[in-house]
């Protein structure tokens, strides 16, 4: 007898497949690496991408069944093409290596190949003018914090954290790298540039203008 998690998952998949509008279903996120048939399996959420013939570019539905959260994103034919062509990070990241659950028309091979190719290319590069504009805007934010007395303590720390994130995002942009999700920003930064990570960490410890300047110069003044 199969466990309850597999039964819940299987019933939900059957419902989606029985909809004539469904073309393909993919398990994405961490749930794609889990075998739901195992007796001791434990899972809180299941992420699905569903490709449909007709509908909105993207529709997201989140629902709970027996404490298991299903996060289901539906994409129309236009949506799939558009997200690939626009290089939408969240879409390419998941579709470069999903688990194919169902494929009515045999479309998965080409879509996964295209997603991998686009992901490997990285985001579109900014022009020199756009990079200079980005740098000047970030510098203006840093300079805004030069006179600490203009702010109360909470506001100053809040703005420092905000501008710190903007500067880190700027690092990924000018180096033509995908921008990670907020919760993974520091982890990925630590893995690929330990010196930059240390400078960022120092800012979060001191909230000093000079440390934010050091960080800015490390990234943008070379």
């Amino acid at each position: 007898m199969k466990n309850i998690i597999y039964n819940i998952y299987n019933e939900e998949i059957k419902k989606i497949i029985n909809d004539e509008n469904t073309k393909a279903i993919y398990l994405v996120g961490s749930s794609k690496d889990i075998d739901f048939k195992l007796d001791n399996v434990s899972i809180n959420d299941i992420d699905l991408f569903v490709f449909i013939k007709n509908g909105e570019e993207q529709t997201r539905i989140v629902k709970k069944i027996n404490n298991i959260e299903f996060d289901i994103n539906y994409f129309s034919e236009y949506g799939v093409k558009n997200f690939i062509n626009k290089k939408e990070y969240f879409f390419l990241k998941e579709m470069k290596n999903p688990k194919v659950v169902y494929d009515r028309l045999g479309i998965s091979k080409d879509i996964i190949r295209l997603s991998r190719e686009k992901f490997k290319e990285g985001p579109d590069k900014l022009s020199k003018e756009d990079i200079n504009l980005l740098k000047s805007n970030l510098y203006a934010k840093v300079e805004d914090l030069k006179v600490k007395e203009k702010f109360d303590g909470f506001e100053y720390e809040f703005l420092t954290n905000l501008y710190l994130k903007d500067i880190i995002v700027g690092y990924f942009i000018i180096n033509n790298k995908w921008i990670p999700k907020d919760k993974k920003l520091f982890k990925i930064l630590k893995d690929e540039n330990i010196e930059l990570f240390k400078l960022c960490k120092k800012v979060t410890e001191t909230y000093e203008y000079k440390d934010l300047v050091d960080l800015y110069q490390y990234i943008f003044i070379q």
Side-chain angles (χ1 to χ4, degrees), residues 154-198:
F154 174 79
E155 184 183 12
Y156 191 84
E157 290 188 6
F158 173 80
L159 290 174
T160 300
N161 284 326
L162 190 64
Y163 299 162
L164 170 62
K165 178 192 168 186
D166 290 342
I167 291 171
I168 296 172
V169 168
Y171 162 79
F172 284 96
I173 290 174
I174 67 168
N175 287 284
N176 195 38
K177 298 174 183 289
W178 293 112
I179 301 170
K181 291 182 179 179
D182 287 356
K183 63 183 180 180
K184 293 187 177 180
L185 209 57
F186 280 95
K187 181 182 183 304
I188 291 178
L189 196 63
K190 184 178 182 180
D191 291 340
E192 71 168 58
N193 191 323
I194 190 64
E195 291 303 317
L196 181 55
F197 172 79
K198 288 178 180 177

Side-chain angles (χ1 to χ4, degrees), residues 3-197:
N3 65 61
I4 189 170
I5 292 177
Y6 178 77
N7 289 336
I8 293 170
Y9 162 77
N10 206 35
E11 284 301 313
E12 190 62 28
I13 293 297
K14 284 180 180 178
K15 290 177 186 177
I16 299 172
I17 290 175
N18 287 336
D19 186 337
E20 293 182 357
N21 199 31
T22 299
K23 294 172 63 177
I25 306 171
Y26 306 93
L27 264 169
V28 296
S30 58
S31 55
K32 76 174 186 290
D33 300 319
I34 296 174
D35 186 351
F36 301 139
K37 295 180 182 179
L38 295 176
D39 291 334
N40 62 346
V41 69
S42 176
I43 190 168
N44 296 317
D45 54 83
I46 295 175
D47 301 321
L48 297 170
F49 277 9
V50 180
F51 293 178
I52 56 178
K53 290 183 286 186
N54 302 302
E56 300 293 328
E57 181 178 60
Q58 179 190 6
T59 304
R60 184 184 180 193
I61 296 176
V62 179
K63 59 182 178 179
K64 260 193 173 179
I65 305 174
N66 283 30
N67 294 321
I68 299 174
E69 183 175 276
F70 283 84
D71 190 340
I72 309 172
N73 279 277
Y74 292 86
F75 301 92
S76 65
E77 290 182 2
Y78 169 77
V80 172
K81 292 177 183 176
N82 197 33
F83 285 135
I84 291 176
N85 291 334
K86 289 196 309 182
K87 292 186 176 181
E88 286 288 348
Y89 174 74
F90 86 96
F91 184 88
L92 298 182
K93 179 177 178 292
E94 300 296 354
M95 283 306 301
K96 67 185 177 67
N97 189 32
K99 182 175 181 179
V100 181
V101 176
Y102 173 76
D103 187 349
R104 181 175 291 172
L105 302 173
I107 60 175
S108 298
K109 185 176 179 181
D110 286 339
I111 290 175
I112 293 171
R113 176 182 56 79
L114 282 171
S115 297
R116 286 175 178 171
E117 290 174 356
K118 289 290 185 180
F119 188 85
K120 190 175 180 181
E121 287 176 8
D124 292 331
K125 292 182 179 180
L126 292 182
S127 66
K128 187 174 181 180
E129 292 76 15
D130 286 337
I131 290 175
N132 287 335
L133 180 61
L134 171 68
K135 290 166 64 175
S136 62
N137 286 339
L138 289 173
Y139 183 75
K141 289 181 177 181
V142 172
E143 283 298 288
D144 187 47
L145 297 176
K146 188 172 185 179
V147 182
K148 193 172 184 178
E149 291 72 21
K150 290 193 307 180
F151 310 91
D152 62 40
F154 174 79
E155 184 183 12
Y156 191 84
E157 290 188 6
F158 173 80
L159 290 174
T160 300
N161 284 326
L162 190 64
Y163 299 162
L164 170 62
K165 178 192 168 186
D166 290 342
I167 291 171
I168 296 172
V169 168
Y171 162 79
F172 284 96
I173 290 174
I174 67 168
N175 287 284
N176 195 38
K177 298 174 183 289
W178 293 112
I179 301 170
K181 291 182 179 179
D182 287 356
K183 63 183 180 180
K184 293 187 177 180
L185 209 57
F186 280 95
K187 181 182 183 304
I188 291 178
L189 196 63
K190 184 178 182 180
D191 291 340
E192 71 168 58
N193 191 323
I194 190 64
E195 291 303 317
L196 181 55
F197 172 79

